[in-house]
Amino acid sequence: MAKAFGTVWIDGVLYKLTLLNFPSYIVQTISSYLRDRTFETSLQTAMTSRRGMRAGVAQGGLISPVLFSLYVNDMPPPLYHVELALYADDTAIITTSRKPTLLVSYLESYLNDLQRWMSEWRIAINVSMSTAIIFARAGRRFIQPRPVSLFGEPIEWVDTTRYLGVTLNIRLTWLPHIDQVRKRTAQRMGMLGPVLKRKSDLSFRNGVLLYKQLIRPLMDYACPAWKPAAHSHVRKLQVLQSKCLRLAIGAPWYVSNRQLNEDLRVPLFADHIRALTESFDSKLADVLNPLVRQLGRYLR
């Protein structure tokens, strides 16, 4: 959604709070919080006059994500063979079928409902930033279907796309995602190189701590989703971990990677993401979201 928080219709969100039976004093408090806001812009020494804000919730406000979620809470419900995955202003519409032509039919039917709803509630969307992708098993061939459109603009079919920071490809091999992770990790290691290098005064303990806090989170992000990736792909991230640890302590070449990890009490990367995935899986039973609960079958 285009500038999602900045385009929320204030009268609309207050109306929806009333429909959701929020107490009147809460609605009035939120109304006073949203209304009568002003903004001005400065450039060097020049300053514009103040203008009133007729839409939007405060960027960075503690309750802004909640207000936005309540505002889009009545998004059209999924139709036959359609599911929704929502996170703030990122929305994925998921359809399933063995025939690409049916996928397009299901998708178009829901997009028509979504378009009417967005027009009614003055919600803008950047169609050029939207993409469509078909996930299929390896070896299965299909003809790329005709494009679907929203507000008269075509949505491009792609071979790879990003959702919530994870790169997805049509075969779900996870290699494009891992390659992106390697690039970002290498950049982060380059930034921290002067601190981690052998001649640095940083202790071994703090060097390992820097790796765990600033580098490894880039590598293991969303690992429950991509843990089924081929061992050869995951091994590429183990290579990065070993390089970083060697850099942090100045380990000589004859020390094996396994010995390095054992001495520093840092698990091998494959063991690390396995433990994170098992921990995530153990919490799924308490999650109400049906899409998230279904992940249990995928993770085991």
Side-chain angles (χ1 to χ4, degrees):
M1 297 181 184
K3 301 178 181 178
F5 285 12
T7 58
V8 171
W9 182 24
I10 293 177
D11 288 339
V13 72
L14 295 175
Y15 174 73
K16 290 188 177 185
L17 291 177
T18 302
L19 289 182
L20 292 170
N21 294 321
F22 274 72
S24 59
Y25 71 91
I26 292 182
V27 177
Q28 292 171 3
T29 301
I30 294 176
S31 175
S32 66
Y33 171 71
L34 295 177
R35 295 188 187 278
D36 300 323
R37 290 179 173 271
T38 60
F39 72 95
E40 56 188 7
T41 304
S42 63
L43 177 61
Q44 296 179 353
T45 59
M47 181 77 73
T48 66
S49 59
R50 290 189 178 184
R51 302 292 181 90
M53 297 180 63
R54 292 176 293 180
V57 294
Q59 292 285 347
L62 292 177
I63 66 171
S64 295
V66 177
L67 291 177
F68 180 81
S69 295
L70 291 172
Y71 187 58
V72 300
N73 185 57
D74 62 345
M75 184 177 290
L79 304 173
Y80 182 65
H81 280 296
V82 176
E83 291 183 293
L84 292 180
L86 307 177
Y87 186 84
D89 59 339
D90 287 305
T91 303
I93 304 171
I94 306 166
T95 65
T96 56
S97 177
R98 294 181 179 274
K99 298 180 179 180
T101 53
L102 288 179
L103 287 177
V104 171
S105 177
Y106 299 148
L107 190 56
E108 284 183 329
S109 179
Y110 184 78
L111 287 177
N112 289 335
D113 291 345
L114 182 65
Q115 181 173 313
R116 286 191 291 269
W117 176 80
M118 296 181 78
S119 298
E120 179 182 358
W121 294 104
R122 304 182 185 182
I123 297 175
I125 186 170
N126 192 344
V127 180
S128 64
M129 297 295 291
S130 303
T131 57
I133 186 172
I134 293 180
F135 301 113
R137 292 180 179 177
R140 183 177 181 183
R141 297 181 179 181
F142 58 87
I143 299 175
Q144 184 166 291
R146 58 184 170 83
V148 294
S149 62
L150 185 62
F151 291 104
E153 295 185 45
I155 298 176
E156 180 185 6
W157 289 100
V158 297
D159 292 333
T160 61
T161 189
R162 283 174 61 82
Y163 182 66
L164 299 179
V166 178
T167 303
L168 308 167
N169 67 323
I170 58 175
R171 303 301 183 193
L172 289 179
T173 63
W174 304 108
L175 180 58
H177 174 73
I178 289 176
D179 285 343
Q180 287 293 326
V181 169
R182 290 171 62 203
K183 291 179 181 178
R184 293 197 300 269
T185 302
Q187 292 173 351
R188 180 69 59 86
M189 288 174 62
M191 294 172 56
L192 296 175
V195 180
L196 293 173
K197 65 183 181 180
R198 188 179 306 175
K199 295 182 180 180
S200 171
D201 293 332
L202 194 70
S203 67
F204 290 174
R205 178 182 178 183
N206 287 336
V208 173
L209 183 62
L210 275 180
Y211 165 73
K212 290 181 176 180
Q213 297 297 321
L214 299 180
I215 296 178
R216 192 169 65 179
L218 289 177
M219 300 164 62
D220 63 25
Y221 173 74
C223 64
W226 54 264
K227 178 184 171 292
H231 294 303
S232 58
H233 300 338
V234 178
R235 198 175 299 122
K236 295 177 181 180
L237 298 179
Q238 175 61 53
V239 171
L240 277 179
Q241 173 171 290
S242 299
K243 285 183 178 180
C244 187
L245 294 178
R246 287 181 181 279
L247 181 65
I249 69 171
W253 62 269
Y254 52 80
V255 176
S256 69
N257 290 335
R258 182 171 293 277
Q259 187 64 48
L260 182 68
N261 283 266
E262 290 178 355
D263 290 347
L264 296 177
R265 296 182 180 178
V266 176
L268 294 174
F269 193 77
D271 295 336
H272 170 66
I273 63 172
R274 185 182 302 111
L276 289 180
T277 301
E278 290 174 354
S279 175
F280 177 77
D281 185 24
S282 67
K283 301 172 184 176
L284 292 181
D286 299 326
V287 176
L288 299 180
N289 188 315
L291 281 178
V292 177
R293 295 189 67 172
Q294 291 175 19
L295 286 174
R297 300 197 303 269
Y298 171 74
L299 297 175
R300 296 186 184 100

